[in-house]
Amino acid sequence: MNKSIFVTFAGGLLSAILTFMVNVVAAKYLVVAEFNQLAVFINATVILSAIFEFGLSSSLIVIYKKKDKHHCEMLASMAIVGMIGIFILLLPVVYYYWGINSVLCAFASLLMTVHKVLNIFNQIDEAWGRYSFNNVLSNAVKLGFVTTAVIVYPTNVIYALMGLTVAYIVSIVYIISGRYISLSFPHKNYYFKDDLPVIFKLYLVTAIVALLMRVDVIIIDGMGFNAANYFVASTLCMLIPLLNSSVMAVLVKVGIQNVQKKQKIFFIAFIILGYLICSKWVLSLLYGNTYESAANIMYILTIAFSVGLYFTDKESVLYHQSNNRLLYLKITQLLVMIVSSYPLITYLGEIGMAYAVLLSRLVGWLYLITICENEKKI
């Protein structure tokens, strides 16, 4: 277990650094308006990917525990074919109403989904080295393509979007070439009806989590504000939940990892203090004076993301339970964030979105604390 966490943590750290570097390079070379478009594209891609996958990446782990790997491979094969079919059907409509950038966004979302579904089998096999390497490879290729695109074409974001898309193709080809997965289609009288309740529930959770993490930039852009400063701040702070998700991948697979409360609190305090001290210096070093106002946004998001680490194991428990408490938690957080974002952004600008995110997290933490206290009384 300790080795699993170390490998996954190391892979998550490297993936986070590479993802971070993609955004840093893009912000440094793209003009602000084009970088704003890239920010919207990246966040929309993650949200659409969560919708495309229908909760499959999370569901396969749960279904595997009840059935077997071959069953999961057949389910994944059917799902991937379905995703491709939906994309082909929607392609003319997306192009007609929203243009080539939206087509690229939908295609990148499809590729991201296929990559996640295929890589989840490494998680099922507990091959944490392969699981982490595939994520690192994808982000490394992204960095290479995007860096080339933004240096050569700093005033046209479409080439960076193409680079992101190609990166997923390379990663998918690599995973398939490893032959650790045997995609196959079910024979007659083979049914997946029993899997649907699990898939649907985790689909809702996955989609809502994606919205919680990524819809903020789209909301800011949709309200007519430039989301570039906020995206820069959230990119730096996103290192925290990215590392958290790496540990969660292990916790969801094998159960709860006992970590002492004092260790968690010390780690969280260390992160918050580090961000408070280094934020302005890091922004100046990476971006010069272009995005210096992002520091104030970073302070708020740091608290929102880092304190959430304290509740990682508690959310892991909810993933294993058959009730709907995790779903209720995420729906509540999403509603609080969306409803509060409009007045806060209207009066405070971009930083208002950061306060909305923090408010939604506070509601979630209170919910989890309440659950834990009630269980102690039973």
Side-chain angles (χ1 to χ4, degrees), residues 64 68-75 182 184-185 187 190:
Y64 168 73
D68 54 45
K69 183 178 178 181
H70 182 60
H71 179 91
C72 292
E73 287 173 339
M74 288 191 290
L75 179 59
S182 300
S184 57
F185 295 97
H187 51 72
Y190 203 99

Side-chain angles (χ1 to χ4, degrees), residues 314-361:
K314 295 177 177 60
E315 287 199 22
S316 178
V317 172
L318 296 186
Y319 269 105
H320 285 275
Q321 295 176 344
S322 58
N323 54 50
N324 294 316
R325 290 189 296 185
L326 180 62
L327 180 60
Y328 298 152
L329 167 64
K330 297 305 178 184
I331 290 174
T332 302
Q333 286 183 297
L334 180 62
L335 289 175
V336 169
M337 186 181 75
I338 292 174
V339 171
S340 62
S341 64
Y342 180 77
L344 288 170
I345 294 173
T346 301
Y347 290 104
L348 301 175
E350 285 179 279
I351 198 171
M353 189 71 243
Y355 283 114
V357 170
L358 179 58
L359 180 61
S360 72
R361 300 301 169 89

Side-chain angles (χ1 to χ4, degrees), residues 49-60:
S49 175
I51 295 171
F52 259 129
E53 73 163 317
F54 209 78
L56 199 61
S57 60
S58 301
S59 304
L60 285 172

Side-chain angles (χ1 to χ4, degrees), residues 233 235-240 270-280 298-299 302:
T235 296
L236 287 163
C237 293
M238 198 64 74
L239 294 170
I240 302 168
F270 177 77
I271 292 174
I272 293 175
L273 184 62
Y275 269 78
L276 288 175
I277 294 172
C278 300
S279 292
K280 289 186 177 180
M298 279 182 64
Y299 299 149
T302 298

Side-chain angles (χ1 to χ4, degrees), residues 129-183:
R130 290 204 307 262
Y131 174 80
S132 299
F133 180 78
N134 289 335
N135 288 328
V136 170
L137 175 66
S138 174
N139 288 304
V141 176
K142 270 189 224 173
L143 178 59
F145 279 110
V146 171
T147 299
T148 303
V150 298
I151 290 175
V152 178
Y153 302 102
T155 58
N156 193 341
V157 74
I158 193 167
Y159 295 100
L161 307 186
M162 290 178 179
L164 291 171
T165 304
V166 173
Y168 283 114
I169 295 175
V170 172
S171 186
I172 289 169
V173 170
Y174 175 79
I175 293 176
I176 293 174
S177 66
R179 298 183 181 178
Y180 300 111
I181 307 161
S182 300
L183 296 177

Side-chain angles (χ1 to χ4, degrees), residues 14-204:
L14 187 52
S15 292
I17 291 172
L18 291 169
T19 300
F20 169 70
M21 288 306 300
V22 169
N23 296 330
V24 169
V25 170
K28 195 171 186 67
Y29 287 97
L30 287 173
V31 297
V32 175
E34 296 297 303
F35 180 64
N36 183 70
Q37 286 190 44
L38 181 66
V40 173
F41 176 91
I42 290 173
N43 285 271
T45 299
V46 174
I47 293 171
L48 288 175
S49 175
I51 295 171
F52 259 129
E53 73 163 317
F54 209 78
L56 199 61
S57 60
S58 301
S59 304
L60 285 172
I61 299 172
V62 177
I63 293 169
Y64 168 73
K65 291 181 178 180
K66 297 178 180 178
K67 298 185 180 178
D68 54 45
K69 183 178 178 181
H70 182 60
H71 179 91
C72 292
E73 287 173 339
M74 288 191 290
L75 179 59
S77 302
M78 294 293 292
I80 290 172
V81 171
M83 294 171 203
I84 294 171
I86 292 171
F87 172 75
I88 293 172
L89 288 173
L90 293 178
L91 184 59
V93 178
V94 173
Y95 179 74
Y96 181 80
Y97 285 102
W98 295 289
I100 187 63
N101 283 12
S102 296
V103 170
L104 277 173
C105 182
F107 187 45
S109 302
L110 171 65
L111 294 172
M112 180 187 293
T113 304
V114 173
H115 175 267
K116 285 167 62 179
V117 170
L118 293 178
N119 202 24
I120 211 70
F121 285 95
N122 289 319
Q123 204 171 323
I124 287 173
D125 293 335
E126 297 188 14
W128 302 109
R130 290 204 307 262
Y131 174 80
S132 299
F133 180 78
N134 289 335
N135 288 328
V136 170
L137 175 66
S138 174
N139 288 304
V141 176
K142 270 189 224 173
L143 178 59
F145 279 110
V146 171
T147 299
T148 303
V150 298
I151 290 175
V152 178
Y153 302 102
T155 58
N156 193 341
V157 74
I158 193 167
Y159 295 100
L161 307 186
M162 290 178 179
L164 291 171
T165 304
V166 173
Y168 283 114
I169 295 175
V170 172
S171 186
I172 289 169
V173 170
Y174 175 79
I175 293 176
I176 293 174
S177 66
R179 298 183 181 178
Y180 300 111
I181 307 161
S182 300
L183 296 177
S184 57
F185 295 97
H187 51 72
K188 291 182 179 179
N189 302 321
Y190 203 99
Y191 301 104
F192 299 102
K193 187 176 180 180
D194 295 342
D195 303 328
L196 293 179
V198 175
I199 293 173
F200 183 69
K201 183 185 295 184
L202 289 177
Y203 164 66
L204 290 176

